[in-house]
Amino acid sequence: MATQSIAGISGDADARVIPQTRRPDGTFRKERKVRPGYTPPEDVVRYSNRVLDAVRPVASPSQPTTTSTTPKSKTQKKNDKRKAKRKEDGDTTQDTEPSDQAQTPTPTPSTLEQVPEPEASKAEDPEKKLRALNKKLRQIEQLKERYDRGEPLLPEQTDKISKMDELVAQIQELSVSN
């Protein structure tokens, strides 16, 4: 009694085989034996609970299923309004020429607020700047000690040592302004 499974395996319980098939180029694949007891994933029966299956309504393909019978929450309603508004705004912008919009971008208040002002940030915290300059000065002094001992330094380190006078001048300016 030869039966064929969903996966295409045919044969008895003793000798099951995948029959030879034809490739698109016209050649044939060999018939292959299947080990006894092997069940391909396509043939595995999905577990179903008889009690739950009896309770669940069976939806016919002609009837559309409702997405949700529960009322929408406040946030879901708000999100739906946002989507509808975006859709309306998107429809109105499509009527205008896109080339005009690309040429003249309009700055929004949020983008104007995001531009940082470097002068204001420097003037706000001179103590922080002074601490940073003092730290650089300490590092330069350590490098100078290493140079005096005869240790070899990198070119960047020697450049840093040469900028020591500028650094001292900046520290004096900040300490006078405080």
Side-chain angles (χ1 to χ4, degrees):
M1 177 178 182
T3 59
Q4 188 165 0
S5 69
I6 296 171
I9 298 175
S10 60
D12 305 353
D14 300 340
R16 296 180 351 150
V17 292
I18 299 172
Q20 74 176 16
T21 55
R22 183 180 212 135
R23 294 186 184 106
D25 64 353
T27 59
F28 286 97
R29 291 183 187 92
K30 290 192 312 185
E31 183 178 81
R32 291 173 282 167
K33 292 182 182 177
V34 178
R35 284 181 276 131
Y38 174 73
T39 307
E42 297 91 18
D43 292 344
V44 174
V45 180
R46 188 173 172 197
Y47 173 77
S48 63
N49 190 335
R50 288 180 296 167
V51 176
L52 287 177
D53 288 343
V55 174
R56 287 187 192 134
V58 178
S60 65
S62 62
Q63 292 180 341
T65 57
T66 58
T67 55
S68 172
T69 57
T70 60
K72 291 186 175 183
S73 69
K74 208 182 227 184
T75 49
Q76 287 174 332
K77 290 177 185 176
K78 190 173 21 171
N79 289 339
D80 288 342
K81 286 180 184 177
R82 285 182 185 165
K83 287 178 187 176
K85 188 174 181 182
R86 264 191 236 130
K87 226 179 213 181
E88 290 173 8
D89 291 344
D91 293 340
T92 57
T93 56
Q94 289 175 356
D95 295 339
T96 62
E97 292 182 22
S99 61
D100 293 341
Q101 292 176 353
Q103 291 175 357
T104 57
T106 55
T108 60
S110 62
T111 56
L112 293 175
E113 293 172 357
Q114 293 174 355
V115 177
E117 295 182 15
E119 294 174 14
S121 62
K122 289 180 183 176
E124 289 176 357
D125 201 3
E127 293 175 5
K128 187 174 181 181
K129 181 78 172 170
L130 188 62
R131 281 194 307 259
L133 291 174
N134 283 329
K135 182 179 179 183
K136 284 184 182 180
L137 184 63
R138 281 193 307 268
Q139 290 173 346
I140 290 174
E141 288 171 352
Q142 289 173 353
L143 286 173
K144 199 169 185 181
E145 289 174 7
R146 285 177 50 196
Y147 181 74
D148 292 341
R149 282 187 261 148
E151 292 182 30
L153 296 178
L154 296 173
E156 296 88 16
Q157 292 172 329
T158 55
D159 291 342
K160 198 171 190 179
I161 291 174
S162 65
K163 295 178 183 177
M164 184 174 178
D165 297 331
E166 298 171 14
L167 195 65
V168 171
Q170 286 180 354
I171 290 173
Q172 287 175 351
E173 286 176 24
L174 282 174
S175 59
V176 169
S177 65
N178 284 343

